[in-house]
Every structure is written in C-alpha cells, then in structure tokens.
C-alpha cells in the first residue's frame, strides 16, 4: 500500500510529538485510518484528532495510539489483549507488531461492523468478541501485553494484572474526570511484583462494566 501525502504528514507529526519507534510509525503509516472512520469523516481521517464512531464512542487520536503502542514495547511473538475494540484501528496497528491480538468490545453493534471491516481489510491475526472487558479474557490468558483504550477509575483493575504474564506490560488510562486522566504503564516482573509509572495526560471515554441496554446509547463523546 502506498502512503498518501496526508498519511505521511500525520506520521511526521507523530514523530515530532514523541512517537520515535520506527516500527510503530511504520505500522501507523500502513494502517488506512480512512477505512476505520464513518464515511462523513473520511476527509478528516489523517488529522491528528479523535473522531466519533457511533454509540457515543470515538476512534482514538493517532498520537495517543502511537504513544500507547510505543509504551507497550511489543515484540513479534507476543500475544496482546486489547480492551475496547471500538472501530478496530488500535487493534489493526497492534496486529502489525505482534503475533496475535485479542480484543473485547461491549457494544455489539460496533463489534459487528468492526469484525466485517477487519475481515474485508485482511487482518487475520485479530480476534475480537463482544463482552465485558472488565473481566478480561481468562480462557486466553496470560497475555504478554494488555492495552486498555477506555479509562478505568483510580485503581488498576486486578483482573488485568492477574491476566498479565510474568515480564508483561499493561498500558491503560486511569482517572474518572476528563480533566485528570493519565496513561499509566504497569510492569509485572518475573516474580510477579508489580510497578507502575505515570506517562502522560489524556482524555478517554470511560471503561464501563457490564453490557449496554439493547437500546442503550453511550455517553457523550470523549476525545480519547
Ligand atoms: N480502540 C479504539 C478506541 C475505542 S473507544 C480505537 O482504536 O479507536 C473505547 C471503547 O471501549 C469504546 O468502543 C467502548 O464501548 C469500549 N468499552 C468501554 N468499556 C468497556 C468494557 N468494559 N469492555 C469492553 N469494551 C469497553
């Protein structure tokens, strides 16, 4: 796939803003973001901004996708869990840098569209299901890496730490108010001890336990 000028411009912008890992930049350059946004936003697909994807949810800002992917320190043999599939863009970027991505989305309608999209675009190493990501994916655990793309409250959910392999890394936004949310990196060492570091301020839609009502609408758009 040849990159368009606006795609190259976006990658240069991300590099200037701190995404310095060449593999991550390459994965973003090779992921056609216009395929992941609703038709009315296609002309804005390579702007460095979050956009609405329906159900009150958003496709994350490319810079945040780049920084969080970089923070994961992925390797080609790794098994990765993503919570919050949304339109599948973050999963698509991850899939180019690891062995397999498992992803969970609580909105069945979004998930249905996303699975069709991922199949059409040929992403065969992503398995995405509808479910409550707060429970993780015990049947597939442990995971080398876990990324959460919706904000949990103050505490790192214990489920994610439990489902992380020794030596694993978890990257997630924490904080309920949109004015005080940060991405954290949590490492589990070979003995199982956990350390955490605060990375940068962000604004994500909230991580919500349980499944939505069948006619339920999500909350107001976050910029996550
Ligand atoms: N990863 C997406 C970002 C989607 S926004 C991207 O690439 O752009 C965050 C998503 O998390 C929303 O679709 C929301 O429905 C989902 N979400 C929130 N709480 C969840 C939960 N408990 N389990 C699974 N998905 C959840």
């Amino acid at each position: 796939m040849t990159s368009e000028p606006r795609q190259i411009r976006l990658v240069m912008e991300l590099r200037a803003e701190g995404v310095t890992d060449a593999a991550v930049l390459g994965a973003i350059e090779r992921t056609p973001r216009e395929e992941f946004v609703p038709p009315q936003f296609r002309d804005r697909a390579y702007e460095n901004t979050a956009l609405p994807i329906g159900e009150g949810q958003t496709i994350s800002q490319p810079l945040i996708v780049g920084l969080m992917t970089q923070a994961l320190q992925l390797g080609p043999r790794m098994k990765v869990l993503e919570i919050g599939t949304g339109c599948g863009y973050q999963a698509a970027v991850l899939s180019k840098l690891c062995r397999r991505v498992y992803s969970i989305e609580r909105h069945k309608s979004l998930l249905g569209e996303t699975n069709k999209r991922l199949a059409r675009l040929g992403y065969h190493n992503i398995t995405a299901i509808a479910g409550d990501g707060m429970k993780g994916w015990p049947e597939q655990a442990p995971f080398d890496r876990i990324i959460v793309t919706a904000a949990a409250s103050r505490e790192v959910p214990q489920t994610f730490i439990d489902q992380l392999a020794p030596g694993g890394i978890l990257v997630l936004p924490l904080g309920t108010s949109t004015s005080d949310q940060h991405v954290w990196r949590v490492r589990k060492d070979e003995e199982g001890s956990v350390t955490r570091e605060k990375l940068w301020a962000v604004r994500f839609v909230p991580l919500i336990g349980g499944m939505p009502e069948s006619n339920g609408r999500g909350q107001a758009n976050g910029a996550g």
Side-chain angles (χ1 to χ4, degrees):
M1 191 182 312
T2 33
S3 312
E4 304 175 42
R6 53 186 190 148
Q7 224 163 330
I8 294 167
R9 210 156 45 229
L10 173 64
V11 166
M12 286 171 68
E13 187 177 339
L14 301 192
R15 189 193 289 134
E17 298 207 39
V19 185
T20 50
D21 184 321
V24 173
L25 290 170
I28 289 174
E29 189 170 344
R30 286 179 284 118
T31 306
R33 194 167 183 256
E34 80 269 13
E35 299 284 354
F36 292 83
V37 300
Q40 65 271 33
F41 293 114
R42 278 195 159 217
D43 57 341
R44 299 185 56 194
Y46 296 102
E47 289 177 18
N48 186 14
T49 177
L51 293 166
I53 56 169
E55 301 290 359
Q57 306 304 319
T58 53
I59 179 173
S60 299
Q61 184 191 355
L63 177 63
I64 299 304
V65 171
L67 289 173
M68 288 178 80
T69 305
Q70 179 167 278
L72 279 174
Q73 303 174 342
L74 293 167
R77 301 171 63 85
M78 289 180 180
K79 180 174 167 183
V80 179
L81 174 66
E82 179 196 26
I83 309 299
T85 321
C87 64
Y89 178 71
Q90 171 76 72
V93 171
L94 294 170
S95 76
K96 294 186 157 80
L97 300 164
C98 69
R99 183 167 55 81
R100 179 157 284 279
V101 179
Y102 294 87
S103 188
I104 309 175
E105 168 56 52
R106 69 189 281 278
H107 280 289
K108 283 200 172 113
S109 58
L110 288 180
L111 199 264
E113 289 302 312
T114 294
N115 270 331
K116 277 189 235 159
R117 173 181 302 120
L118 293 172
R120 175 167 56 79
L121 297 173
Y123 289 97
H124 300 304
N125 64 338
I126 301 173
T127 309
I129 57 164
D132 178 6
M134 293 284 263
K135 301 191 175 114
W137 196 326
E139 297 81 4
Q140 291 296 342
F143 297 94
D144 302 301
R145 299 292 187 259
I146 301 178
I147 177 170
V148 186
T149 68
S153 52
R154 287 264 143 253
E155 289 305 307
V156 180
Q158 186 59 38
T159 321
F160 301 153
I161 292 173
D162 292 343
Q163 293 186 19
L164 195 59
I169 295 177
L170 158 66
V171 172
L172 82 172
L174 288 180
T176 39
S177 110
T178 47
S179 59
D180 186 25
Q181 262 184 24
H182 291 84
V183 169
W184 289 76
R185 175 161 53 194
V186 178
R187 294 176 192 270
K188 188 182 199 176
D189 71 14
E190 299 296 336
E191 282 73 48
S193 314
V194 170
T195 52
R196 59 192 70 182
E197 58 188 305
K198 200 180 199 176
L199 300 181
W200 2 261
V202 277
R203 282 178 61 198
F204 271 91
V205 295
L207 182 69
I208 302 170
M211 297 297 273
E213 302 288 313
S214 53
N215 63 347
R217 289 270 135 198
Q219 46 283 291
N221 284 348

